[in-house]
Amino acid sequence: MINIKTEKEIKLMEESADILKLVLKEIEKNIKPGITTAYLDYIAEDVMKKNGAKPSFKGVPCPYRGGKPFSYAICTSVNDDIIHGIPSSRVLLDGDIVSVDLGVYKNGFHSDAGRTYAVGNVSDIAKKLIKTAEEAFFEGINYARPGNRVGDISNAIETYVKSKGFSLLEEYQGHGIGRQMHEDPGVPNIGKKDTGPRLQSGMALAIEPMICEGKADVYVKEDMWTVATVDKKLTAYYENTIIITENETKILTF
Ligand code: MG
């Protein structure tokens, strides 16, 4: 079931997203060679707490049998790790790229966003990958209008990313968002035009292109969370929470 948000609910989601933006700003300031991914997690949770919000991701049960619940505020995925990476004592090195995914819970509503950051000086291919993930998001939301369909967004993302010579994760996708972190509809990054649920005013979506330099074949690491590429090539990620309204598409976390 797709939950259509009222004006009042949209306001509450905007407040949640405003805190998320503060967290992103603080993370961005601190990205540099020599820091650990655990430090980024510490900063993120600190900003959330100081603003009366909670990390959406903390306590999320592991989707795999025997895995522990996620116990951090953010996911940090370095280089060939694409999503769901666990913050740790891993030190970020010059030339690494790190994808940070975070969710903020405030007022009974979630907001969700992600960025891939360059650590120090990175390769040209890393730069191109990061830029392509971001641009693919904006290509997608060109189609996030009432009357269009989810597949129009998916198709725009897919077409753009493939035109740059990169591949997309098929097994993971964007999603509706609101009182729950994951709501209907799913928003795949691959799809055909004019397919899927019809978009309407009041829909809140987290759109998140996850792209790979090489093949989009992935596996889940021993920690039961981190998703990484089999070919060990780089990956990038970009996500925002958006609201579709009659007149405009609001990007809440940008
Ligand atoms: Mg998401």
Side-chain angles (χ1 to χ4, degrees):
M1 193 191 75
I2 295 173
N3 296 313
I4 297 302
K5 275 73 182 175
T6 63
E7 289 284 321
K8 197 178 154 198
E9 288 173 332
I10 292 171
K11 282 264 162 347
L12 294 174
M13 284 191 75
E14 281 172 332
E15 283 176 31
S16 169
D18 284 345
I19 297 166
L20 192 151
K21 284 192 276 189
L22 292 178
V23 178
L24 280 179
K25 220 182 248 174
E26 211 48 41
I27 287 174
E28 202 174 328
K29 260 200 279 180
N30 281 279
I31 297 278
K32 55 175 175 280
I35 61 144
T36 65
T37 53
Y39 182 62
L40 295 177
D41 179 65
Y42 167 78
I43 292 169
E45 187 161 2
D46 190 51
V47 176
M48 290 183 209
K49 274 189 192 157
K50 282 179 177 153
N51 287 280
K54 282 186 185 161
S56 303
F57 295 175
K58 218 172 191 176
V60 170
C62 184
Y64 306 103
R65 207 188 152 98
K68 290 186 189 133
F70 199 80
S71 50
Y72 301 88
I74 62 174
C75 300
T76 53
S77 308
V78 183
N79 297 334
D80 55 311
D81 294 346
I82 180 159
I83 49 167
H84 303 165
I86 297 179
S88 71
S89 56
R90 179 172 185 165
V91 175
L92 295 175
L93 303 174
D94 187 58
D96 280 342
I97 60 174
V98 57
S99 299
V100 175
D101 183 8
L102 67 154
V104 167
Y105 186 68
K106 166 99 179 172
N107 300 328
F109 284 88
H110 296 275
S111 52
D112 189 6
R115 303 281 186 270
T116 299
Y117 298 104
V119 182
N121 296 304
V122 303
S123 65
D124 287 345
I125 192 79
K127 283 181 197 159
K128 185 181 167 192
L129 197 67
I130 291 172
K131 194 164 165 246
T132 301
E134 177 173 349
E135 288 172 347
F137 165 85
F138 287 96
E139 288 291 320
I141 65 154
N142 281 334
Y143 294 84
R145 287 196 297 265
N148 281 355
R149 298 173 76 169
V150 169
D152 297 321
I153 299 174
S154 311
N155 185 262
I157 292 171
E158 177 185 1
T159 305
Y160 187 75
V161 171
K162 288 188 172 165
S163 79
K164 298 290 171 183
F166 298 133
S167 63
L168 292 129
L169 275 201
E170 248 184 294
E171 300 97 317
Y172 300 88
Q173 58 180 12
H175 48 92
I177 180 167
R179 290 193 189 277
Q180 305 296 325
M181 185 68 189
H182 295 102
E183 296 185 355
D184 288 336
V187 185
N189 292 309
I190 291 176
K192 288 195 170 63
K193 283 182 194 171
D194 205 27
T195 61
R198 190 74 64 186
L199 301 174
Q200 30 174 328
S201 181
M203 274 172 74
L205 303 173
I207 297 177
E208 45 183 321
M210 296 163 247
I211 73 171
C212 305
E213 176 193 358
K215 275 201 182 139
D217 293 335
V218 293
Y219 69 102
V220 178
K221 290 187 163 175
E222 271 175 16
D223 62 23
M224 309 281 258
W225 279 101
T226 312
V227 178
T229 53
V230 172
D231 64 12
K232 306 263 181 251
K233 290 194 174 175
L234 296 175
T235 66
Y237 169 75
Y238 190 87
E239 177 182 21
N240 282 306
T241 297
I242 68 158
I243 305 253
I244 297 171
T245 71
E246 220 41 71
N247 304 317
E248 56 166 345
T249 301
K250 297 181 181 192
I251 310 178
L252 301 195
T253 51
F254 179 71

